[in-house]
Amino acid sequence: MLRSVCVCKLPARIHYTPSRLFSSGTRPASYNVKNLAVIGGGQMGLGIALVAASVADLNVTVIDNSQASLHKGISFIDKLLSRDVAKGRLTEERLAEVKGMIKLTTNFETISESDFIIEAVPEIVSLKLEIFNRLAQEAPAHAILSTNTSSISITKIAASALGAENRVISTHFMNPVPVQRGVEIITGLQTSQETLDTAMTLVESMGKIPSISSDSPGFLANRILIPYINEAIICLETGIGSKEDIDSIMKNGCAMPMGPLALADFIGLDTCLAIMNVLYANTADSKYRPSVLLSKMVDAGWLGKKSGKGFYEY
């Protein structure tokens, strides 16, 4: 079983040249990440924790205020690791080692032992600002404070981390974390070069391929992806095509691995709506207006795969 348990200056231009995946012997001398904390025991947070332990050999603490979520998390991690054993990708001995590196707890104060902290809670601005304000007060003075936000301004989040603004960054992992190799790295105005270097090294040590984005609404991935999904929903809403035909033409005509409506169900319609609302509110551009049908489906509780019903039944 898993165990339960500074005023900153505006930095010079931030830059980083990706090179190769770091091994323990080639990481920069300043890199001191041994203990990682993940705040949020949902699918994203657990995926990050699993990869950090199994690939980067980090001790990971997953913090969530719901004991029920943590119990589900234990089952989720057990399932993924057992599947890897069944497929010969992992030995029983290694499975035990990885599980021993992951702790799940409701005790927020365990962040005091962390070198790097990744927040992976829902896309609620007030919640994230509250967490980072608390992290600035309670996390170790050297710890990097990272958010997994998919759309909220990193500069705004950093401003809430009073005294630790230069240690705030975004490491936006893609879902599902154990499968998708890309990670979006976003710096705020306050982010220091050392913070960026540490975040890039951590991500590469987890076997991921980082891409750097400026702090603009939606960043790179969701600035492109979510409006594409929203337009597909508008096509359904206005009768241009059926859900099956919309997904089929994008898969079979445009070589997408998954149709946009099926992808929306997988991401979660509430998440898609939240990102569209951020894009619309922060750009004042009508092309980012959320689909009326998307809003209605979220109101109905039809959130996609996680609720059992979205554009498709699950």
Side-chain angles (χ1 to χ4, degrees):
M1 288 289 291
L2 295 170
R3 288 172 286 175
S4 221
V5 283
C6 96
V7 177
C8 61
K9 298 178 181 178
L10 185 66
R13 184 180 178 187
I14 299 289
H15 67 279
Y16 191 95
T17 303
S19 52
R20 71 272 182 253
L21 298 183
F22 289 100
S23 66
S24 58
T26 58
R27 292 172 183 164
S30 61
Y31 182 77
N32 63 350
V33 178
K34 297 179 181 178
N35 298 302
L36 175 73
V38 178
I39 301 175
Q43 185 173 343
M44 288 299 297
L46 292 168
I48 293 168
L50 181 58
V51 174
S54 62
V55 179
D57 286 324
L58 295 176
N59 295 310
V60 186
T61 301
V62 178
I63 304 167
D64 197 287
N65 60 7
S66 168
Q67 191 64 54
S69 293
L70 295 180
H71 283 308
K72 286 178 64 176
I74 292 172
S75 299
F76 174 78
I77 291 174
D78 281 344
K79 179 180 177 181
L80 291 184
L81 290 175
S82 297
R83 186 171 63 189
D84 281 348
V85 171
K87 292 184 177 181
R89 295 194 293 247
L90 200 68
T91 65
E92 290 284 359
E93 291 75 18
R94 180 57 180 165
L95 180 148
E97 288 177 358
V98 171
K99 289 174 66 174
M101 288 188 281
I102 302 174
K103 295 187 289 187
L104 286 80
T105 181
T106 58
N107 183 8
F108 192 89
E109 294 178 1
T110 56
I111 62 167
S112 63
E113 305 168 4
S114 305
D115 304 309
F116 201 108
I117 300 164
I118 300 177
E119 165 272 310
V121 304
E123 288 287 277
I124 302 170
V125 175
S126 59
L127 177 60
K128 290 181 185 287
L129 298 184
E130 178 184 350
I131 288 173
F132 275 81
N133 182 265
R134 186 174 178 185
L135 287 175
Q137 299 174 51
E138 300 182 28
H142 72 281
I144 303 300
L145 313 179
S146 178
T147 174
N148 190 57
T149 183
S150 55
S151 60
I152 300 169
S153 167
I154 310 310
T155 298
K156 183 173 185 176
I157 292 175
S160 70
L162 299 177
E165 297 94 335
N166 65 331
R167 292 186 279 120
V168 176
I169 195 167
S170 174
T171 50
H172 177 209
F173 289 81
M174 304 295 154
N175 190 27
V177 180
V179 176
Q180 301 288 13
R181 296 194 68 194
V183 176
E184 206 168 25
I185 304 291
I186 307 102
T187 58
L189 284 177
Q190 311 94 320
T191 307
S192 71
Q193 183 70 49
E194 182 179 357
T195 296
L196 173 62
D197 291 345
T198 301
M200 292 288 287
T201 304
L202 172 69
V203 165
E204 290 183 324
S205 74
M206 292 171 66
K208 302 301 183 183
I209 301 173
S211 298
I212 297 179
S213 166
S214 65
D215 187 15
S216 181
F219 316 131
L220 280 176
N222 285 326
R223 185 71 166 261
I224 299 167
L225 177 64
I226 302 301
Y228 154 71
I229 290 174
N230 190 62
E231 191 64 31
I233 299 171
I234 291 173
C235 287
L236 177 65
E237 162 180 83
T238 56
I240 296 175
S242 69
K243 61 186 180 184
E244 292 83 5
D245 287 328
I246 291 168
D247 279 356
S248 176
I249 193 60
M250 298 311 296
K251 286 174 61 180
N252 302 311
C254 299
M256 300 295 187
M258 181 183 291
L261 301 179
L263 179 57
D265 278 354
F266 181 77
I267 293 171
L269 302 191
D270 53 339
T271 300
C272 293
L273 178 61
I275 295 170
M276 284 304 299
N277 280 331
V278 167
L279 290 173
Y280 189 39
N282 285 278
T283 64
D285 192 328
S286 61
K287 73 180 180 181
Y288 296 120
R289 177 187 64 81
S291 159
V292 174
L293 177 58
L294 175 59
S295 297
K296 288 169 65 176
M297 291 182 71
V298 171
D299 287 342
W302 297 352
L303 307 182
K305 192 172 182 180
K306 62 185 173 184
S307 70
K309 181 178 177 61
F311 293 104
Y312 298 93
E313 302 273 351
Y314 299 92

